[in-house]
Amino acid sequence: MREVVRFLQNGRVVELADVRPTETVLDYLRLRRGLVGTKEGCGEGDCGACTVAVGRLVEGRLVYQPVNSCIQFLGMLDGAELVTVEDLAEDGQLHPVQQAMVDHHGSQCGFCTPGFVMSLFTLYHAPEKPATRKTVTDWLAGNLCRCTGYRPIVDAALEACFTEIDDAFSRRADESIAALQAMEQDTRDVFITQEEGGFFAAPASLDALAELAERHPQATLVAGATDVGLWVTKQLRQLPQVIWLGRVRDLDRIEDTPGGVLMGAGTTFAAAHPYMARIDPDLGELWRRIGSRQVRASGTVCGNIANGSPIGDSPPALIALGATIELRRGEDSRTLPLEAFFIDYGKQDREPGEIVTGLYVPRLDPNHAFRCFKISKRFDQDISSVLCALRVTLADGTITEARLAYGGMAATPKRAEIAELALIGARPDRPSTWAAALKALADDFAPISDMRASDAYRKEVARALLAKALVEIGGTPDERTRVSGLRSGEVIHAA
Amino acid sequence: MQRESGEKALGAAALASVGQSLPHDSAIRHVSGSAVYVDDIREPAGTLHVVPGWARDATRGRILSLDLDPVRAHPGVVAVLGPSDVPGKNDVSPALGDEPMFAEEEILFWGQPLFAVVATTREAARHAARKARIEVEDLPPLLTVEDALAADETVLPDYQFRKGSPETGLATAGHLMEGSLRIGGQEHFYLEGQVSLAVPGEDGDMFVHTSSQHPSETQHIIARVLAVPDAAVTVEVRRMGGGFGGKESQANHWAAIAAIAARATGRPCKLRLDRDDDMIMTGKRHDFRVDWKLGHDAEGLLRVVDMRLFARCGYSADLSLGVVDRSMFHADSSYYYPDAMIHSRRLKTHTCSNTAFRGFGGPQGMLAAERMMDALAIRLGVDPLDLRKRNFYREGRDVTPYGMKVEEHATLHAIVEELEESSDYRLRRDEIAAFNASSPILKKGLALTPVKFGISFTLKHLNQAGALVHLYTDGSIHLNHGGTEMGQGLFQKVAQIVAEEFGVTLDKVKITATHTGKVPNTGPTAASSGTDLNGMAAKIGAETIRGRLVAFAAERYQVAPDAISFAGNRVQLGERSMTLGELAREAHLARIQLSAAGFYATPNITWDRPSASGRPFFYFAYGAACSEVTVDTMTGEMRVDRVDILHDVGHSLNPAIDIGQIEGGFVQGMGWLTTEELVWDDRGRLRTHAPSTYKIPTASDVPEDFRVALYASAGNPSPTVYRSKAVGEPPVMLAISVFSAIHDALANLNPGAIPDLDAPATPEAILHAVLSMKRSRAG
């Protein structure tokens, strides 16, 4: 047992014994350390003003990810390197990304700027990225600027982030890696006791995690905190007992198997992205549009499932693909189809003390066709008003099986069972054969109106998306049917 | 995206600092994280934190009981303050006395503060604030324009412009047309939320650091609530993390609460609103319904316009007088209305009090005018650009509905013609027609729309500014003026002006925080006027000192005054040369005053509101934008493909900063008209009170092909500072081209029918218009 949290900053190991379970990295920096370069814009991980860089070892390499420090708990820095805007300049010389921001007039009010600088720092350090505006705008989707209109920031990124990596961090990378490895070798479980039974725990093994979760069924399990963070900063909920999954290496695994992709519950959206894109380009694009770079770097796929949010954007697509999840309580494991996990609004098939440990996403067979569409007010970093995912099995151009799932149409991600039945026997290249399926959606769903869309729009667009999927599967090229997210990329089919 | 250099727009005069694309004065501090905002100021020992409390279940109702004991009992709470703790007047309104600091008897909107918690930490105060037990007797709230119209409730009297005889016009025009448009509001979403730090001094004095565009008003309101003279209150603003009008009047409330907390506890008190509270409690851009009627001739020349502007003002007047007046001043956009009736109503609703937002009503008025043009073009089957140009102000057709003559119409014509050419408008019009003919699902649209924006506060007394300039004996210069820096680059531009006057490099000019003790009784930094006013005041102050130096040196060294020049950090005195510092030292020893206050009042403006006559604007700023969009007619999704902008800033003081204002303003305007939707539920609760639900543009929403250029101006015909033009607000309205382009794309679905598209054009709004077009075709 270890009773401190340790992380690397400026080449030195910071060791903290007084870590409150839900104290945020942002509050730690600003209130405890007086490091006020990092700003609070929204307190919910949507504006990126508080972005810091967090470096971790990935297969022996030091990888920097942008992280929203306003919703990241301090204890989650354990074993990582923390970089803030104050750390970049070297002997009064600006870092290349900072200098480019000055040269391109990339700041006006300057309040979002430290967050942009840190996102650009992580882009600067990212390996193998195409030097395109698209790369940059995707990387910056989680950083809002209200002044500049972004053009100068994107220009600064294009100038500074696609050159040879040469800064203080790359020059001392070997030392940093050694320091991180040394911390990683300390495999003791972290447990920081608080008053009145509270604690922050970071178990280092799956067994320890399962045991801890069973012993403290009321504790809050946290993976990326991209949702739980808001329970604290916005709902002001007290979470006295926090168990962080981030040190459980067994949960980080993700692998391609002949039939699909298998991932542990610690797999972030960012880590899963290339795997998902190889299942289908639409799935890759959906992943790209989930949250922002910051959210995907911290948030986990299984966390998105486990918290049962009706607006989780990944579940409908995973349901259409026939994904299954694995749960564990103490020594007992079980597997169930993802759609069965979602029982009702805010209610999932998860017992107290039980944890989601993994997810399996089957690949498409060659006789499958898949489409997935996300409708939101803003393309990037928004939550869907309607999400539609369709997988059909085709024989000679006729649908023999259909899995059609929607988000935003009911209290949970849900299959359109009546429409699925109506699709059997239809031919995507003949619209008249699927008119009944479009009509059937009215019997599958009775959506509500909220701030994202009205019920009428949801119904209309649910039909339109099914029609669009079928039109495309029927042969119309997607540049004739879409204003964004054109399909491209290599796909691996099930062996 | 591409960008053309703005350098060509510079005048011929050889200037060392003015006209240079120098970086923002704080650029290096911005990127280093060392620029200090109010929340970053090292807190004095013992600083307490303040959080306003409100009734989370009440929109409008009588307060039956307010039990604050559970709040007081929360650990860390030092004080809980309510109406009876206000030493002076319980009012934080800018003018009319209709905005209590804490609601006393009746709650008038969801989010209205009832009390404030003062605690040792912000976290403790936030938790405690939710513990109040509040009983409210609900009263039915007025929420919409229609609710307020039905109840006939307003915050201010109706107002109108009449030109000619609109009744006769409507009776005699050959052709009539009418329509109605709903225009959504807009949340400012400044990245730095509202924040103030009040530090009590001796003898009842109060020093307040705040994020306010209007430090003088903040000072006066703090004095009012504390019941002390204005002179006892000092307000300082170094910089804001964005303002956009949202900190013109809306910063006052929080500064005032912090001040009474500091008074009550005798300790420094800081209030920084949580983002959700900020979005719920503070005012936004006014949403409008505009009903219009027009008469025209067979060629599409307007004969008469009757426009009714219904503004949803919220629960109090705030700045709605000026905002809605400005929507009326811009209800003509760039078009000549021979006869006109421009009528406005300032409707009262039980929602947050709408306020200033970049453009200040102008965008709403202009959007309605452009909708009329788009609708009429469809009716006549002509290209909307041709119809626009036909109706432009021109010689002999140059008097606005409020009686002011538009003198500089040639600039408008030149900009539109140049942009029409450079954007390949005609060619692309044909290409788009061909695309649409063969594309059943995706439809493209194109629009080129003009901007003509009146520069000056329409409240005449605000058109004045002061500056304070000191020259020290080492040659360094202390610069202060009444304008505030919110990111727009005002401080840098004014510093460039002062550097020019003294012939020094920018590093000699120390920019200092706006401070009510240095320059008093200022207007807000608003109405795009910051540089016009403060730049001129600072220039006058610098000229005064320079004049004294010249007079002194001419006598001391026996050279003619016109043989004395200031350049390159040196002063040339005939054959002799010395540094500015050397001259300053000599002048000081000779007891010459090296400090001066500059003062400027805009000339040539008159406006008599009761008779609706005069010349409210010193000049107009012009621009034009051409936007191309693609609309998905199945889902309502939309992509902006390309935008070309040509904008007039006169002689640019700093082309890089001006381009930044143009691009930033355009993108902000595009957000207002596309993704940014404010949703209140049927109980009047704002449902989009965080960036998770309220979507301002991100980097990927900016068109890949984005071409922005400064118009090669011969200089502002009006005598502004270095013949520059204001640039803060006008570019917002360039984004109307995006909205018009969407309208144009939708028009393809049923030739001759007018798309029923309201703003913002969210996917849902677009799909609504698609379906109504299809229905009208079927029916």
Side-chain angles (χ1 to χ4, degrees):
Chain A
M1 188 98 83
R2 171 151 65 86
E3 294 180 44
V4 293
V5 163
R6 282 201 298 243
F7 58 91
L8 190 64
Q9 192 178 18
N10 276 323
R12 296 170 57 180
V13 175
V14 178
E15 202 167 272
L16 297 172
D18 54 336
V19 173
R20 286 184 294 128
T22 56
E23 180 175 6
T24 64
V25 173
L26 180 65
D27 279 355
Y28 165 75
L29 288 171
R30 292 186 61 88
L31 303 181
R32 279 220 245 169
R33 296 280 299 277
L35 293 171
V36 294
T38 307
K39 311 299 183 196
E40 179 179 321
C42 68
E44 60 173 34
D46 259 292
C47 80
C50 67
T51 303
V52 296
V54 173
R56 291 185 191 278
L57 295 177
V58 179
E59 289 158 6
R61 235 186 38 235
L62 179 54
V63 175
Y64 292 105
Q65 294 279 10
V67 164
N68 288 315
S69 65
C70 69
I71 50 169
Q72 181 110 135
F73 300 143
L74 179 57
M76 294 166 62
L77 289 179
D78 193 69
E81 179 183 4
L82 173 65
V83 185
T84 72
V85 69
E86 288 92 348
D87 303 335
L88 297 198
E90 216 183 338
D91 304 326
Q93 282 285 103
L94 295 180
H95 188 278
V97 300
Q98 293 174 312
Q99 189 61 51
M101 283 285 280
V102 172
D103 294 345
H104 287 270
H105 307 278
S107 70
Q108 287 186 20
C109 86
F111 199 82
C112 69
T113 311
F116 271 97
V117 164
M118 294 316 296
S119 281
L120 294 178
F121 171 80
T122 63
L123 177 60
Y124 176 84
H125 278 275
E128 299 157 36
K129 66 255 177 182
T132 63
R133 296 200 92 82
K134 182 93 186 127
T135 302
V136 175
T137 59
D138 177 42
W139 205 279
L140 296 178
N143 289 91
L144 298 179
C145 169
R146 195 52 151 165
C147 296
T148 64
Y150 300 100
R151 194 274 311 160
I153 301 174
V154 177
D155 283 352
L158 285 168
E159 180 188 288
C161 296
F162 299 88
T163 55
E164 200 184 327
I165 303 170
D166 179 21
D167 63 3
F169 297 85
S170 66
R171 289 193 290 276
R172 65 161 190 254
D174 288 346
E175 295 156 55
S176 304
I177 288 169
L180 293 179
Q181 278 168 343
M183 287 195 279
E184 202 171 67
Q185 273 152 23
D186 181 350
T187 54
R188 290 176 292 171
D189 299 324
V190 170
F191 197 92
I192 297 177
T193 311
Q194 305 283 308
E195 289 170 4
E196 295 167 12
F199 61 80
F200 175 84
S205 70
L206 186 52
D207 288 340
L209 166 64
E211 189 268 331
L212 200 60
E214 194 177 24
R215 187 147 44 91
H216 299 283
Q218 71 286 14
T220 306
L221 295 169
V222 175
T226 54
D227 195 23
V228 176
L230 277 72
W231 304 356
V232 174
T233 61
K234 292 297 164 177
Q235 299 171 15
L236 305 188
R237 273 160 68 175
Q238 305 277 10
L239 307 176
Q241 299 178 333
V242 168
I243 303 172
W244 179 49
L245 280 57
R247 292 182 70 229
V248 183
R249 289 287 78 86
D250 300 342
L251 292 180
D252 278 353
R253 71 183 196 280
I254 177 162
E255 57 183 301
D256 279 325
T257 71
V261 175
L262 188 64
M263 72 180 86
T267 307
T268 62
F269 277 98
H273 188 187
Y275 294 83
M276 296 297 112
R278 288 192 295 264
I279 291 178
D280 186 89
D282 280 1
L283 197 62
E285 173 66 0
L286 173 65
W287 240 248
R288 191 195 67 74
R289 286 176 61 189
I290 284 175
S292 59
R293 181 67 53 172
Q294 287 91 324
V295 168
R296 296 194 296 275
S298 295
T300 62
V301 182
C302 288
N304 193 216
I305 293 167
N307 74 9
S309 167
I311 51 177
D313 277 354
S314 63
L318 297 172
I319 288 170
L321 288 164
T324 53
I325 60 166
E326 185 188 68
L327 297 106
R328 173 169 167 177
R329 183 181 183 196
E331 301 286 306
D332 306 325
S333 291
R334 64 187 175 112
T335 299
L336 77 164
L338 182 53
E339 59 264 45
F341 181 69
F342 300 105
I343 298 170
D344 203 347
Y345 182 77
K347 187 162 186 275
Q348 298 89 44
D349 183 4
R350 185 169 76 87
E351 300 297 319
E354 194 173 40
I355 52 178
V356 176
T357 51
L359 173 73
Y360 177 72
V361 189
R363 290 184 194 294
L364 297 170
D365 292 335
N367 61 346
H368 282 154
F370 178 80
R371 290 293 186 278
C372 171
F373 301 104
K374 169 174 170 171
I375 302 293
S376 50
K377 284 184 198 167
R378 186 174 72 192
F379 285 116
D380 280 354
Q381 211 219 358
D382 195 359
I383 291 164
S384 58
S385 49
V386 176
L387 201 138
C388 168
L390 172 70
R391 189 190 79 178
V392 291
T393 311
L394 293 162
D396 298 329
T398 299
I399 295 171
T400 58
E401 191 213 357
R403 291 178 68 88
L404 174 63
Y406 282 88
M409 296 295 290
T412 61
K414 193 167 166 283
R415 284 175 70 175
E417 290 169 1
I418 304 168
E420 284 179 352
L421 277 176
L423 280 170
I424 293 171
R427 290 187 60 97
D429 57 357
R430 281 190 213 146
S432 61
T433 63
W434 34 266
L438 296 186
K439 240 178 128 191
L441 283 172
D443 300 321
D444 274 311
F445 296 113
I448 60 160
S449 295
D450 67 8
M451 79 292 273
R452 293 199 170 82
S454 69
D455 57 345
Y457 178 74
R458 286 188 157 105
K459 282 185 207 162
E460 178 62 33
V461 92
R463 266 197 303 275
L465 293 178
L466 176 56
K468 183 178 296 223
L470 292 165
V471 163
E472 287 187 6
I473 293 169
T476 305
D478 58 356
E479 66 263 20
R480 310 288 284 173
T481 60
R482 304 179 176 202
V483 295
S484 79
L486 298 186
R487 292 168 62 79
S488 66
E490 291 288 308
V491 167
I492 304 177
H493 284 294
Chain B
M1 286 188 274
Q2 294 182 11
R3 183 168 74 91
E4 287 176 36
S5 162
E7 308 292 335
K8 68 175 180 186
L10 283 178
L15 300 170
S17 295
V18 166
Q20 303 301 310
S21 283
L22 299 172
H24 191 284
D25 63 277
S26 296
I28 290 173
R29 288 187 287 278
H30 290 156
V31 301
S32 310
S34 59
V36 176
Y37 301 80
V38 173
D39 197 37
D40 304 337
I41 295 169
R42 183 66 74 173
E43 289 166 11
T47 296
L48 299 170
H49 299 267
V50 190
V51 167
W54 53 289
R56 305 183 84 85
D57 292 323
T59 298
R60 180 195 178 197
R62 255 186 293 283
I63 301 166
L64 300 177
S65 69
L66 178 59
D67 176 5
L68 298 173
D69 287 343
V71 183
R72 287 190 189 91
H74 190 86
V77 171
V78 174
V80 181
L81 307 172
S84 61
D85 301 298
V86 182
K89 199 170 171 211
N90 181 25
D91 174 46
V92 292
S93 70
L96 293 191
D98 56 354
E99 293 180 26
M101 174 184 278
F102 303 119
E104 290 193 58
E105 287 163 7
E106 193 178 0
I107 293 172
L108 291 174
F109 75 101
W110 189 70
Q112 187 170 26
L114 304 183
F115 63 94
V117 191
V118 189
T120 50
T121 66
R122 185 167 175 270
E123 188 183 0
R126 287 187 71 203
H127 279 90
R130 294 200 187 184
K131 292 195 164 170
R133 284 193 280 259
I134 308 165
E135 268 186 282
V136 178
E137 180 197 345
D138 287 333
L139 296 169
L142 305 174
L143 300 175
T144 62
V145 163
E146 284 68 31
D147 290 348
L149 284 174
D152 197 22
E153 287 263 14
T154 58
V155 292
L156 288 161
D158 298 354
Y159 184 54
Q160 63 189 42
F161 301 152
R162 275 180 63 91
K163 183 186 173 202
S165 172
E167 295 78 9
T168 312
L170 286 168
T172 58
H175 311 269
L176 296 176
M177 190 174 186
E178 62 185 337
S180 182
L181 172 66
R182 280 172 195 283
I183 303 169
Q186 187 176 24
E187 158 64 31
H188 302 82
F189 209 80
Y190 27 65
L191 263 286
E192 176 212 35
Q194 303 281 354
V195 57
S196 286
L197 170 64
V199 183
E202 62 180 32
D203 194 26
D205 290 356
M206 194 62 68
F207 189 98
V208 181
H209 299 274
T210 185
S211 186
S212 165
Q213 290 174 240
H214 198 348
S216 283
E217 187 173 82
T218 306
Q219 173 202 12
H220 300 155
I221 287 173
I222 290 171
R224 184 202 296 162
V225 299
L226 290 179
V228 298
D230 290 350
V233 179
T234 304
V235 171
E236 180 176 302
V237 182
R238 172 56 185 89
R239 62 169 62 79
M240 283 167 272
F244 316 112
K247 295 172 181 171
E248 184 173 342
S249 63
Q250 301 297 294
N252 297 330
H253 201 157
W254 324 111
I257 293 178
I260 68 150
R263 162 69 71 84
T265 60
R267 290 163 68 172
C269 284
K270 181 154 82 178
L271 191 162
R272 174 169 67 83
L273 283 184
D274 174 69
R275 175 62 65 176
D276 293 62
D277 285 353
D278 193 317
M279 291 179 74
I280 288 166
M281 293 174 175
T282 66
K284 313 186 185 310
R285 189 189 291 287
H286 291 64
D287 41 334
F288 275 67
R289 191 184 92 198
V290 184
D291 296 348
W292 55 268
K293 207 181 287 179
L294 61 81
H296 63 92
D297 70 11
E299 274 71 53
L301 214 54
L302 293 174
R303 169 75 187 79
V304 58
V305 168
D306 180 317
M307 200 183 275
R308 314 265 156 171
L309 297 151
F310 303 109
R312 194 172 75 138
C313 297
Y315 83 99
S316 73
D318 184 65
L319 305 176
S320 291
L321 187 142
V323 169
V324 181
D325 279 5
R326 190 166 276 269
S327 71
M328 298 166 66
F329 284 120
H330 290 81
D332 59 342
S333 186
S334 295
Y335 312 113
Y336 175 67
Y337 301 164
D339 289 328
M341 157 67 95
I342 310 293
H343 177 82
S344 68
R345 302 206 71 191
R346 289 152 175 82
L347 300 168
K348 177 173 177 169
T349 52
H350 297 100
T351 49
C352 61
S353 189
N354 285 330
T355 193
F357 195 139
R358 200 175 191 174
F360 206 69
Q364 295 94 321
M366 277 181 59
L367 186 69
E370 299 302 343
R371 162 55 57 85
M372 292 197 310
M373 284 294 145
D374 285 331
L376 182 56
I378 290 171
R379 148 82 68 96
L380 297 169
V382 300
D383 188 293
L385 178 58
D386 291 331
L387 184 71
R388 289 189 159 94
K389 286 162 74 174
R390 203 171 301 163
N391 283 287
F392 274 169
Y393 283 107
R394 62 184 71 254
E395 201 60 49
R397 293 168 58 85
D398 52 9
V399 178
T400 64
Y402 47 93
M404 178 175 166
K405 199 167 162 186
V406 178
E407 287 149 358
E408 204 192 345
H409 40 71
T411 302
L412 169 71
H413 300 171
I415 287 174
V416 168
E417 257 151 52
E418 190 182 329
L419 187 69
E420 180 181 341
E421 195 69 35
S422 64
S423 67
D424 283 325
Y425 178 84
R426 302 289 164 181
L427 179 70
R428 287 160 69 203
R429 176 59 77 198
D430 293 343
E431 288 170 357
I432 284 170
F435 174 91
N436 287 336
S438 67
S439 174
I441 296 172
L442 305 184
K443 297 288 183 192
K444 279 182 173 286
L446 183 71
L448 195 162
T449 60
V451 168
K452 163 187 136 285
F453 194 75
I455 303 299
S456 290
F457 288 99
T458 55
L459 200 56
K460 188 178 170 188
H461 80 265
L462 295 177
N463 296 290
Q464 59 173 313
L468 182 63
V469 183
H470 307 321
L471 173 63
Y472 293 102
T473 53
D474 66 347
S476 66
I477 297 157
H478 175 109
L479 168 61
N480 196 275
H481 54 77
T484 56
E485 176 62 37
M486 59 194 108
Q488 80 278 43
L490 169 67
F491 282 14
Q492 177 64 27
K493 281 183 171 178
V494 177
Q496 285 178 237
I497 290 165
V498 169
E500 194 69 53
E501 292 306 314
F502 285 109
V504 296
T505 46
L506 264 292
D507 58 308
K508 303 290 183 196
V509 181
K510 183 71 190 172
I511 292 168
T512 61
T514 315
H515 189 290
T516 56
K518 289 185 186 174
V519 177
N521 307 320
T522 63
T525 306
S528 308
S529 68
T531 308
D532 279 10
L533 298 176
N534 296 287
M536 202 60 117
K539 186 169 189 283
I540 290 166
E543 280 170 350
T544 303
I545 297 172
R546 200 184 57 177
R548 292 179 195 143
L549 290 174
V550 167
F552 160 72
E555 191 190 325
R556 164 72 57 95
Y557 294 105
Q558 293 300 303
V559 291
D562 59 8
I564 300 173
S565 61
F566 295 70
N569 292 330
R570 298 188 71 80
V571 186
Q572 194 70 35
L573 308 133
E575 300 295 299
R576 189 190 301 265
S577 166
M578 62 175 70
T579 65
L580 179 63
E582 285 163 349
L583 179 59
R585 253 189 315 279
E586 289 195 17
H588 176 67
L589 293 174
R591 301 191 297 174
I592 304 295
Q593 190 189 9
L594 296 180
S595 172
F599 181 80
Y600 174 71
T602 312
N604 197 21
I605 46 175
T606 57
W607 177 244
D608 183 55
R609 191 172 186 269
S611 65
S613 64
R615 180 193 162 87
F617 302 119
F618 190 28
Y619 62 91
F620 292 101
Y622 295 99
C626 179
S627 294
E628 178 181 330
V629 303
T630 306
V631 167
D632 179 340
T633 60
M634 292 181 82
T635 61
E637 291 166 289
M638 184 277 298
R639 173 184 79 218
V640 182
D641 298 305
R642 172 175 163 183
V643 174
D644 293 61
I645 289 171
L646 186 60
H647 197 82
D648 170 30
V649 296
H651 280 167
S652 177
L653 295 167
N654 181 322
I657 285 175
D658 285 342
I659 291 272
Q661 288 297 299
I662 294 165
E663 292 177 344
F666 170 81
V667 171
Q668 194 172 68
M670 186 179 75
W672 166 53
L673 293 173
T674 57
T675 56
E676 295 183 37
E677 186 178 31
L678 290 162
V679 180
W680 279 268
D681 66 12
D682 54 8
R683 291 172 54 196
R685 298 175 303 182
L686 179 65
R687 298 287 78 180
T688 49
H689 52 72
S692 52
T693 45
Y694 183 77
K695 309 314 268 190
I696 72 168
T698 67
S700 62
D701 295 308
V702 179
E704 286 232 1
D705 194 350
F706 190 25
R707 311 179 192 197
V708 179
L710 300 180
Y711 170 65
S713 167
N716 191 344
S718 295
T720 51
V721 63
Y722 289 97
R723 298 282 173 173
S724 63
K725 279 193 177 183
V727 70
E729 294 164 293
V732 169
M733 286 149 280
L734 296 167
I736 292 172
S737 59
V738 172
F739 191 74
S740 276
I742 297 168
H743 198 262
D744 184 58
L746 292 167
N748 283 287
L749 295 170
N750 183 6
I754 292 157
D756 180 20
L757 180 69
D758 288 332
T762 59
E764 178 160 358
I766 292 173
L767 193 68
H768 167 83
V770 167
L771 296 177
S772 68
M773 289 294 273
K774 288 182 173 169
R775 268 196 302 274
S776 67
R777 190 175 56 189

